[in-house]
Amino acid sequence: MFSDLTPTSKKILLVFIAVISFTILEIGYYNFEYRNLSSTILQKKKAVSLTQLPDLAFVTETVWLRHRSITSLFSVFPEDGNLLDYYPSSFVYNLQLPNKSKQVNQYSNEEPRNEF
Amino acid sequence: MNFKLVDFTLKSLKRNMTKKLSVIFIFTVLVFLLVSVFSISSSIKKELLISVDSLPELIVQKMSGGRQTLIPVERAFEIASIPGVNNAYDRVWGYYFFENVNVNFTILGLDFDLETYKKKYDNIIEMNSDIIDTSNTPFMIAGKGVVEIFNSYYNPNYFDFIKGNGKRMRTNIAGSFSDESALETNDVILMPIQNVRELFDIEEHLATDIVVRVPNPEEIDVVKQKIQFMYPDCRLVSRQDIEASYQNVFDYKSGLFLSLLIAAFVAFFILIYDKTSGLSLEDKREIGILKAVGWQVENILQIKFIEGAIISLFSFSFGTGLALFYVYTLQAPLLRNLFTGASYLKPEFDLLPIVDLQVLSLIFILTVPIYIMATIIPSWRAAIIDADEVMH
């Protein structure tokens, strides 16, 4: 079947197949690399279970630092509300808010529970 | 498959290579940028998600006047007595601003006398000496970023923290965290809990927040509601809240960059629109000649399909391959700054090599079939017209 192709066409087809094969091999290689990282991942998990702090040490100049839910004593906006400060994107809209309001409302009309 | 048609298409591509190169270039750059941004984003998101299981199920914070304030330690005992709660304990931690380099350190109080501590965590901490004197001089275990700051701007062996009353607290550096956990611990300083209380001027009966462990995931919501009922002045942050917020934040950041890519998208779609709205005179003449020498409409469509598939698949593969190499081997210079802060205390970290096949499929579907269609439709329009008319 390849005998139908001229040498020029064969060269172009070869480059085309090589690029696609290289990309597929690259994806396989990075997946293999990730599977070999189990000890690193274990160390990361241990570090987080020791500090119990969420989020990564990316940003160290904002009011909330490690995570916007874990605020400092001086923060203004991050106490819930619609707009949550997130450096450097200024803010994100809190999608969780409607669910939270529902949960609060569900119990606001009920009698106090003595078993607590 | 008729390989003679493939041969004809490849030779036609070679003849018009200069014209096709601009399309291949734009296509490749667009795929490269999209795959790069989504790969960085998914790699960082994965990093967060693999550690999220180690976080406490609930964090209880006391609020006063809409702001977080210190919480009485006794509440931890009351929360621990709720059925379903495995453990609840108070934490003392906070931020220390180091003015010289405009960074915050995260200082965390820990009970170093606990035997379980050393056994459990000794392989993530490199100690400077085997014996830690917990009774006399204050000491700390610092993240790599903190140690580097001390080496460059202060003393490599100790640091003088300034307490609330203005007095200095000399603290020896007893050890540091391993490189592998830099992304999680770069800004962290572990200190004995009594030293952190002294530094932040926090009394014995108060704490920063309370951590609650609930082993059964089915009970988390109930426990959360019970704590909220017991302490209406408290705010509760659950692990699910944190996971959901990660999703929001990274969608927002990726979206922010994507909005910058709109210009590139517009350029790409104008190119496609231009192709669909009509073929060039040269292309029409070629189709006319082929029909005149006896080619069928389906043959013409076949060569146009092969041409579109070769150009789009080549550009997609080349763009994806380059992007993965740029992100995971070169560690995405410049682009990864989008996801980090502006301070000096930046962690040195390797992006986890996660290839998100879902994202790759999405980019593939959005680009390759559209391009192939854009090549075939105008050719079909030209091919169904009479050969004589097309040539004129």
Side-chain angles (χ1 to χ4, degrees):
Chain A
M1 51 186 194
F2 283 101
S3 56
D4 291 340
L5 302 177
T6 57
T8 320
S9 301
K10 275 184 190 166
K11 273 182 200 164
I12 297 175
L13 201 63
L14 204 68
V15 171
F16 174 71
I17 292 169
V19 168
I20 292 181
S21 315
F22 175 74
T23 307
I24 292 169
L25 282 176
E26 204 182 358
I27 292 172
Y29 168 74
Y30 287 126
N31 275 329
F32 177 74
E33 278 278 289
Y34 177 67
R35 284 181 192 175
N36 284 347
L37 287 175
S38 54
S39 68
T40 310
I41 289 168
L42 190 70
Q43 293 217 3
K44 286 173 188 293
K45 283 186 175 178
K46 276 191 173 181
V48 175
S49 63
L50 177 64
T51 60
Q52 302 273 293
L53 292 173
D55 223 335
L56 308 171
F58 269 155
V59 182
T60 54
E61 63 271 35
T62 52
V63 283
W64 41 265
L65 293 177
R66 296 309 297 274
H67 192 272
R68 59 198 172 91
S69 63
I70 314 296
T71 57
S72 76
L73 301 182
F74 312 102
S75 55
V76 183
F77 277 111
E79 278 73 45
D80 218 339
N82 282 332
L83 302 182
L84 296 175
D85 186 20
Y86 199 93
Y87 183 87
S89 342
S90 75
F91 67 86
V92 287
Y93 185 75
N94 187 8
L95 295 173
Q96 292 285 300
L97 193 64
N99 298 334
K100 280 185 186 170
S101 332
K102 271 183 205 164
Q103 278 177 11
V104 172
N105 290 338
Q106 190 188 339
Y107 290 94
S108 59
N109 296 329
E110 286 183 10
E111 290 293 312
R113 294 182 175 189
N114 296 327
E115 70 267 24
F116 294 159
Chain B
M1 183 188 269
N2 189 344
F3 272 83
K4 289 211 181 326
L5 281 181
V6 177
D7 187 51
F8 180 85
T9 314
L10 290 173
K11 279 195 282 194
S12 158
L13 265 178
K14 191 174 177 275
R15 276 199 306 276
N16 303 315
M17 191 51 94
T18 44
K19 267 165 58 183
K20 303 293 179 195
L21 270 179
S22 61
V23 178
I24 292 173
F25 178 74
I26 294 172
F27 205 140
T28 307
V29 169
L30 192 73
V31 170
F32 170 79
L33 287 173
L34 286 173
V35 175
S36 299
V37 171
F38 282 122
S39 299
I40 299 170
S41 173
S42 62
S43 175
I44 296 171
K45 212 182 324 185
K46 185 74 184 175
E47 183 106 29
L48 288 164
L49 292 177
I50 54 171
S51 60
V52 88
D53 290 342
S54 311
L55 292 174
E57 282 76 19
L58 291 170
I59 297 167
V60 186
Q61 302 167 335
K62 188 175 185 288
M63 308 297 286
S64 172
R67 304 208 174 190
Q68 195 195 336
T69 185
L70 298 171
I71 190 165
V73 173
E74 65 191 28
R75 290 190 182 186
F77 303 115
E78 286 158 27
I79 291 170
S81 66
I82 296 173
V85 174
N86 182 28
N87 194 7
Y89 55 93
D90 55 290
R91 292 195 303 188
V92 179
W93 68 284
Y95 306 123
Y96 183 87
F97 186 61
F98 185 40
E99 229 172 327
N100 297 25
V101 275
N102 194 29
V103 293
N104 278 293
F105 301 140
T106 306
I107 300 184
L108 195 75
L110 205 71
D111 192 350
F112 284 89
D113 291 331
L114 288 175
E115 273 303 308
T116 49
Y117 146 74
K118 202 170 183 303
K119 281 180 192 159
K120 208 170 168 187
Y121 304 112
D122 55 354
N123 58 346
I124 57 162
I125 292 171
E126 293 155 15
M127 301 301 289
N128 294 348
S129 71
D130 290 338
I131 306 153
I132 308 175
D133 181 11
T134 54
S135 53
N136 299 318
T137 329
F139 67 93
M140 64 172 139
I141 291 163
K144 285 283 172 194
V146 180
V147 172
E148 277 168 26
I149 293 272
F150 289 164
N151 286 343
S152 312
Y153 298 94
Y154 214 80
N155 191 301
N157 300 318
Y158 64 85
F159 185 74
D160 290 322
F161 288 103
I162 298 167
K163 293 192 282 187
N165 59 12
K167 289 184 180 170
R168 284 167 188 272
M169 187 173 87
R170 178 155 295 188
T171 310
N172 292 327
I173 302 170
S176 61
F177 281 98
S178 63
D179 286 337
E180 282 81 2
S181 63
L183 202 48
E184 284 79 12
T185 58
N186 200 49
D187 62 338
V188 171
I189 294 176
L190 295 181
M191 278 166 72
I193 198 159
Q194 64 272 21
N195 293 137
V196 181
R197 285 187 183 281
E198 192 186 336
L199 178 64
F200 292 144
D201 198 17
I202 298 174
E203 292 171 34
E204 284 290 324
H205 67 282
L206 294 173
T208 313
D209 51 25
I210 291 170
V211 160
V212 184
R213 284 283 183 187
V214 185
N216 185 355
E218 302 291 322
E219 289 181 324
I220 294 172
D221 278 343
V222 180
V223 170
K224 189 177 173 183
Q225 285 157 12
K226 283 185 180 180
I227 297 171
Q228 193 73 73
F229 196 82
M230 284 164 74
Y231 303 112
D233 62 346
C234 281
R235 186 176 65 154
L236 284 105
V237 181
S238 71
R239 197 198 280 169
Q240 282 95 329
D241 289 342
I242 290 170
E243 270 177 77
S245 72
Y246 287 158
Q247 194 65 39
N248 288 357
V249 165
F250 282 98
D251 287 352
Y252 186 89
K253 283 203 172 190
S254 308
L256 196 77
F257 188 76
L258 275 184
S259 66
L260 299 174
L261 274 182
I262 281 177
F265 266 118
V266 169
F268 183 66
F269 287 114
I270 285 175
L271 197 80
I272 290 174
Y273 177 77
D274 188 46
K275 282 176 82 69
T276 45
S277 58
L279 292 173
S280 66
L281 281 176
E282 211 173 312
D283 291 333
K284 280 183 182 171
R285 199 179 299 127
E286 188 188 352
I287 291 172
I289 292 167
L290 289 175
K291 281 198 80 180
V293 295
W295 283 50
Q296 301 292 316
V297 176
E298 60 186 72
N299 299 135
I300 294 167
L301 293 186
Q302 272 177 346
I303 60 164
K304 287 296 167 187
F305 174 81
I306 295 168
E307 183 191 304
I310 287 176
I311 289 179
S312 55
L313 283 174
F314 176 84
S315 309
F316 178 81
S317 304
F318 195 43
T320 306
L322 278 181
L324 294 178
F325 181 76
Y326 167 77
V327 173
Y328 298 127
T329 305
L330 300 180
Q331 295 298 317
L334 298 177
L335 263 189
R336 82 174 185 177
N337 292 349
L338 275 179
F339 294 86
T340 57
S343 75
Y344 289 94
L345 195 65
K346 278 185 182 168
E348 281 182 17
F349 65 96
D350 287 342
L351 291 161
L352 290 176
I354 304 291
V355 182
D356 194 340
L357 292 177
Q358 267 185 322
V359 170
L360 285 187
S361 316
L362 185 75
I363 298 171
F364 181 87
I365 289 165
L366 283 176
T367 52
V368 174
I370 292 177
Y371 183 82
I372 294 174
M373 272 193 330
T375 324
I376 290 180
I377 293 169
S379 307
W380 171 74
R381 274 193 203 142
I384 55 171
I385 309 170
D386 188 53
D388 188 43
E389 199 181 323
V390 173
M391 279 191 282
H392 281 90

